[in-house]
Amino acid sequence: MDEEPLHERMETYERLASDVAEATRERDETANEIGDRLAAAITEAVEREGANVVQSGQSKDGHRYRFTARLDRAALVAALTETLPNGFVVSHVNDDGTMSVEWTGSDRTPSKRERGAILKAIIAEEMEFDGDGLIESVPTRERVLARAVELGVEEDEAASRLSRLATLEVVDLADGHVYPDENFSRY
């Protein structure tokens, strides 16, 4: 058994607990500051890219009209590749506009990750769903590559990255179309 008096062990415990509490507070403050700076970068990109507004319905009497404003996710991701601080990349953008921004663990963002994020956003943007939320249609490979070129990605780089995403089971390339695969939401 340890011969150190118990009151000294308690003093050590209290000092360590205080150190942990201070480190936790500093960690949380740092995380909040990082989040605020990323939100500012995203806001800047959204302001630059704007939103698409489409008519989504009207009343039977024609007096009320309903509109839906939605972001062009692919254009937003392309803009964010230039706006986000080095080392950060968009990993996923959901239908409702929520998104995940991931730190790559490096002081710079690999261009492959940026191109992959843009391609995933294009695929997500081009997919159509039925009323039950099931995929109704997916984009063609040619449409994905053409949209990537519109967003500033070289065609050969887009094609290469699309093939790599298929190897990683992020997408499935079949019959000239691009389908989301099992890792689509995780990569």
Side-chain angles (χ1 to χ4, degrees):
M1 183 164 192
D2 191 357
E3 297 300 319
E4 182 179 11
L6 207 47
H7 72 279
E8 289 178 15
R9 293 295 292 159
M10 280 306 295
E11 289 171 355
T12 300
Y13 171 82
E14 288 176 346
R15 181 181 45 76
L16 292 171
S18 176
D19 292 347
V20 167
E22 177 62 21
T24 299
R25 185 189 61 74
E26 287 180 31
R27 179 201 65 197
D28 292 347
E29 285 177 3
T30 301
N32 287 336
E33 189 259 332
I34 291 168
D36 289 345
R37 289 177 61 188
L38 289 173
I42 293 166
T43 299
E44 179 183 320
V46 169
E47 288 174 353
R48 196 169 56 243
E49 293 305 314
N52 297 323
V53 178
V54 295
Q55 181 180 349
S56 56
Q58 67 187 42
S59 63
K60 290 185 185 219
D61 64 7
H63 292 179
R64 282 177 285 136
Y65 295 83
R66 186 174 30 253
F67 296 88
T68 302
R70 67 183 214 14
L71 295 172
D72 179 339
R73 291 176 285 180
L76 176 61
V77 171
L80 284 172
T81 61
E82 297 176 16
T83 305
L84 285 175
N86 285 332
F88 289 90
V89 67
V90 176
S91 57
H92 199 69
V93 182
N94 300 311
D95 290 336
D96 64 1
T98 58
M99 69 177 66
S100 299
V101 174
E102 180 182 345
W103 181 53
T104 64
S106 177
D107 62 345
R108 66 177 189 81
T109 306
S111 60
K112 295 181 296 189
R113 293 288 303 273
E114 290 175 345
R115 290 189 299 267
I118 293 169
L119 291 172
K120 278 185 54 185
I122 292 167
I123 295 160
E125 188 72 26
E126 298 281 334
M127 284 192 298
E128 293 180 13
F129 298 89
D130 66 14
D132 295 324
L134 300 173
I135 296 173
E136 196 168 83
S137 69
V138 295
T140 63
R141 180 180 184 280
E142 290 76 26
R143 173 63 185 145
V144 171
L145 296 178
R147 182 73 168 122
V149 169
E150 288 174 22
L151 296 172
V153 179
E154 296 290 328
E155 186 171 3
D156 60 333
E157 292 176 353
S160 173
R161 194 63 190 161
L162 193 58
S163 294
R164 179 68 177 142
L165 291 176
T167 301
L168 296 171
E169 297 180 341
V170 173
V171 299
D172 184 27
L173 303 173
D175 300 324
H177 288 81
V178 183
Y179 298 86
D181 207 340
E182 64 185 62
N183 294 323
F184 190 75
S185 294
R186 287 186 275 162
Y187 178 73

